[in-house]
Amino acid sequence: MFEKLKTAINNFATRKQIDKQEVEALIKEIQRALILSDVNVKVVFELTQKMKKRIFEEKKHEAVSLREHVIKVVYEELTNILGKEKGKIEIKPQKIMLVGLYGTGKTTTAGKLAYFFKKKGLKPFLLSVDVYRPAAYTQLKTLAEQIEVPYYGNEKEKDPVKILKEGLKAYEKSGADVLIVDTAGRDALTPDLIEELKKINEVLLPDETYLVIAADIGQGAKSLVEAFKSAVSLTGIIITKMDSSAKGGGALTAAYLAGTTVKFLGIGEKLEDLEYYDPVRFVSRLLGMGDLESLLEKVKEVVDEEKIKEMWQSDKYNIAMFYEQLQATQKMGSLQKMIEMIPGMSRLIPRKEELEEQEKKMRKWKYIIDSMTKEERENPSIINTSRIKRIAKGSGTSEEEVREMLKAYKMSEKMFKKFKSGKFMKDPKIRKMLANVPMQ
Ligand SMILES: Nc1nc2c(ncn2[C@@H]2O[C@H](COP(=O)(O)OP(=O)(O)OP(=O)(O)O)[C@@H](O)[C@H]2O)c(=O)[nH]1
Ligand SMILES: [Mg+2]
């Protein structure tokens, strides 16, 4: 699925020169790829308009290249229409009802879900209330036996609600804790199917009602999801046959349009072919960008840098600020960068060779600060010997290390005050030292 999208992004990412024309061409390619995979045309149009607007109008940090900015926007906007957040799957006792049209993969998915919860240490129970499909019961029974979970069905009974009631009894007796109910499909959402599902719903009172749709549903997905949503209260969607259709885009974005969440993807006929749906991971894979993570990291770093700079605009200094610095340093993975950003820090750590040692120390300082009370952090002057003892114990460090951290904090505070008073910048030695620091 979305193969064209991957190619377009890859081509773009490897271009030597990126200009406005290249960006326009990429957006056209994205448009084409999404329409080919059956994403609703209106959605595609709105999405690409938004991408364009953001790419050309949004303020971008100078450390981020246009190429990176474009990829980031494309990534974020795609994630947006493919499900902003991960659907939450509760690993706890629950009752699940599967609904959907004929042949979408409900029964197979029931088996897959049972297997999924079994692997998570729960005790699933499979119940078939399908009185339409010949051999529906046998199909479920085969699956249940394969994964060794209890099941119930009654081939002779023609009333699904009756079977449900019998099945509920069997479930309670079995000691299982996750009930998965497989319902019958129709070739359309007919009034009698709605009626049947409503009755089952009333008796079962499920925690989750999942609509099972197949990836090849295409443009019809939106209205189908909406119809099911108003007939039975859906808590999520499961899209099956993602392995065999190039058109999954319609099904995936239908969830977004109907305001529901995709919880699982079926990616094959076997019982283990069920995947937890995580839009962020999905889009990363979709774009085939191995280094997408590192790119997003980089953008985050820039934000961290700005945060530090902002902090230095403040008038007061306290341990919380010192802590922020430490944390940001660790996130950035380089002390050097911080030294470049914070005036006075280079005095604390004069030699580059000591940086690694210092980074280790800083990690310890973070533990130390974590062990301080709020009061101590706001007013470090109250930290006396007995407090030092307690903090050392709580952070798994020595008293000497706590003292050292407090000393570093005091020096940092001094620098801050000096910096704020303006004296700092008047010192010719400091001026020379900071000549190449960007923030000056
Ligand atoms: N490739 C692929 N095939 C699947 C997947 N899920 C289900 N199928 C196949 O789709 C067909 C229909 O699956 P069922 O589970 O019987 O569908 P159903 O919704 O229970 O069908 P009815 O009970 O008749 O409404 C079977 O051949 C399954 O093997 C999937 O994720 N990928
Ligand atoms: Mg079935």
Side-chain angles (χ1 to χ4, degrees):
M1 206 190 95
F2 291 134
E3 275 309 315
K4 287 220 157 42
L5 198 60
K6 202 184 218 161
T7 320
I9 298 272
N10 271 333
N11 286 344
F12 178 81
T14 48
R15 286 267 147 80
K16 269 211 193 90
Q17 208 71 70
I18 303 286
D19 55 20
K20 201 168 173 213
Q21 244 178 342
E22 300 273 3
V23 176
E24 301 264 2
L26 171 73
I27 294 198
K28 274 225 175 68
E29 277 301 307
I30 292 175
Q31 231 161 22
R32 201 168 305 148
L34 291 176
I35 286 171
L36 274 175
S37 81
D38 255 348
V39 177
N40 181 295
V41 179
K42 198 165 152 248
V43 172
V44 175
F45 185 69
E46 282 170 5
L47 174 83
T48 46
Q49 284 300 106
K50 202 162 162 213
M51 280 181 183
K52 245 194 241 174
K53 199 168 152 58
R54 280 192 61 193
I55 288 169
F56 295 123
E57 291 173 21
E58 205 167 83
K59 189 176 152 262
K60 117 184 146 44
H61 193 280
E62 55 194 39
V64 178
S65 71
L66 177 62
R67 185 197 317 267
E68 288 166 336
H69 175 62
V70 170
I71 292 172
K72 179 177 169 274
V73 169
V74 168
Y75 165 84
E76 282 175 356
E77 291 304 325
L78 274 176
T79 310
N80 213 5
I81 63 155
L82 292 170
K84 246 181 249 161
E85 294 156 31
K86 236 190 328 204
K88 231 171 120 191
I89 310 289
E90 307 251 27
I91 308 299
K92 62 168 199 201
Q94 58 191 295
K95 288 189 272 185
I96 300 169
M97 173 173 168
L98 296 181
V99 302
L101 300 183
Y102 264 144
T104 52
K106 292 178 295 305
T107 308
T108 313
T109 304
K112 286 178 179 178
L113 280 174
Y115 186 53
F116 171 85
F117 283 108
K118 190 179 171 173
K119 276 193 296 188
K120 298 275 178 203
L122 287 152
K123 295 188 215 96
F125 185 103
L126 283 165
L127 170 56
S128 169
V129 296
D130 182 354
V131 296
Y132 291 84
R133 142 113 24 226
Y137 170 66
T138 321
Q139 190 190 351
L140 191 90
K141 178 171 175 263
T142 312
L143 289 169
E145 281 168 355
Q146 223 173 311
I147 50 175
E148 297 177 346
V149 303
Y151 57 94
Y152 187 82
N154 181 351
E155 280 178 298
K156 292 188 192 91
E157 180 56 58
K158 284 290 157 232
D159 177 2
V161 177
K162 263 195 191 151
I163 305 179
L164 175 65
K165 285 180 180 160
E166 295 165 6
L168 279 168
K169 275 187 204 142
Y171 165 67
E172 262 142 41
K173 249 195 245 156
S174 73
D177 52 19
V178 176
L179 177 64
I180 300 160
V181 179
D182 177 29
T183 65
R186 302 285 199 285
D187 47 18
L189 185 61
T190 52
D192 77 307
L193 178 60
I194 295 177
E195 192 53 34
E196 179 179 313
L197 294 178
K198 278 194 169 147
K199 274 197 218 147
I200 294 170
N201 186 64
E202 263 166 42
V203 176
L204 177 63
L205 298 172
D207 302 293
E208 306 285 353
T209 305
Y210 295 143
L211 171 66
V212 180
I213 55 178
D216 52 19
I217 183 169
Q219 299 274 349
K222 180 177 175 268
S223 51
L224 186 81
V225 174
E226 281 168 350
F228 265 96
K229 204 181 166 192
S230 62
V232 285
S233 42
L234 297 182
T235 58
I237 296 179
I238 298 178
I239 303 175
T240 62
K241 309 186 192 181
M242 283 299 284
D243 54 309
S244 60
S245 169
K247 298 194 167 233
L252 278 167
T253 47
Y256 154 82
L257 288 171
T260 47
T261 326
V262 178
K263 303 270 183 152
F264 290 100
L265 299 181
I267 48 162
E269 293 185 70
K270 290 200 291 298
L271 282 160
E272 63 266 27
D273 296 335
L274 184 75
E275 200 172 80
Y276 184 43
Y277 180 61
D278 174 353
V280 172
R281 227 183 91 216
F282 187 81
V283 175
S284 309
R285 238 174 16 186
L286 199 75
L287 300 185
M289 304 279 303
D291 56 355
L292 198 60
E293 290 268 306
S294 53
L295 165 66
L296 296 175
E297 264 310 301
K298 182 177 170 188
V299 175
K300 211 167 77 204
E301 253 176 40
V302 171
V303 175
D304 281 339
E305 281 179 31
E306 307 226 295
K307 208 165 139 196
I308 292 184
K309 285 185 190 168
E310 214 172 86
M311 215 158 61
W312 280 82
Q313 313 287 319
S314 139
D315 288 330
K316 264 191 260 147
Y317 192 72
N318 56 28
I319 290 215
M321 280 167 75
F322 185 63
Y323 186 74
E324 280 280 346
Q325 285 172 17
L326 293 182
Q327 238 173 351
T329 314
Q330 264 178 18
K331 259 191 238 158
M332 288 188 280
S334 143
L335 201 56
Q336 186 60 40
K337 230 183 208 165
M338 179 147 127
I339 291 170
E340 282 164 11
M341 267 187 303
I342 301 172
M345 269 320 248
S346 33
R347 262 193 174 179
L348 262 178
I349 311 142
R351 285 213 319 271
K352 273 190 181 176
E353 310 85 75
E354 286 174 12
L355 283 181
E356 234 182 73
E357 189 57 33
Q358 193 65 30
E359 270 175 27
K360 243 188 249 161
K361 215 177 261 175
M362 285 196 155
R363 223 163 296 142
K364 275 197 182 158
W365 291 353
K366 263 183 71 182
Y367 297 143
I368 292 172
I369 297 173
D370 279 337
S371 294
M372 287 184 184
T373 63
K374 196 167 163 260
E375 209 189 346
E376 287 163 348
R377 263 180 247 168
E378 275 162 14
N379 186 14
S381 61
I382 61 164
I383 303 177
N384 54 18
T385 317
S386 76
R387 283 183 192 256
I388 287 177
K389 261 199 189 114
R390 196 210 71 237
I391 294 167
K393 221 175 182 179
S395 57
T397 58
S398 69
E399 287 169 40
E400 202 195 329
E401 282 167 325
V402 177
R403 285 205 178 85
E404 193 186 15
M405 183 250 125
L406 287 171
K407 209 170 131 198
Y409 163 73
K410 272 187 199 133
M411 273 182 83
S412 201
E413 187 192 29
K414 229 191 214 161
M415 292 297 167
F416 180 82
K417 281 186 184 155
K418 220 173 179 184
F419 177 67
K420 279 285 143 183
S421 69
K423 276 184 206 151
F424 191 80
M425 294 315 291
K426 282 178 197 137
D427 186 331
K429 260 190 277 171
I430 305 253
R431 289 187 83 104
K432 199 173 161 216
M433 192 172 83
L434 294 175
N436 297 321
V437 175
M439 92 174 269
Q440 308 315 317

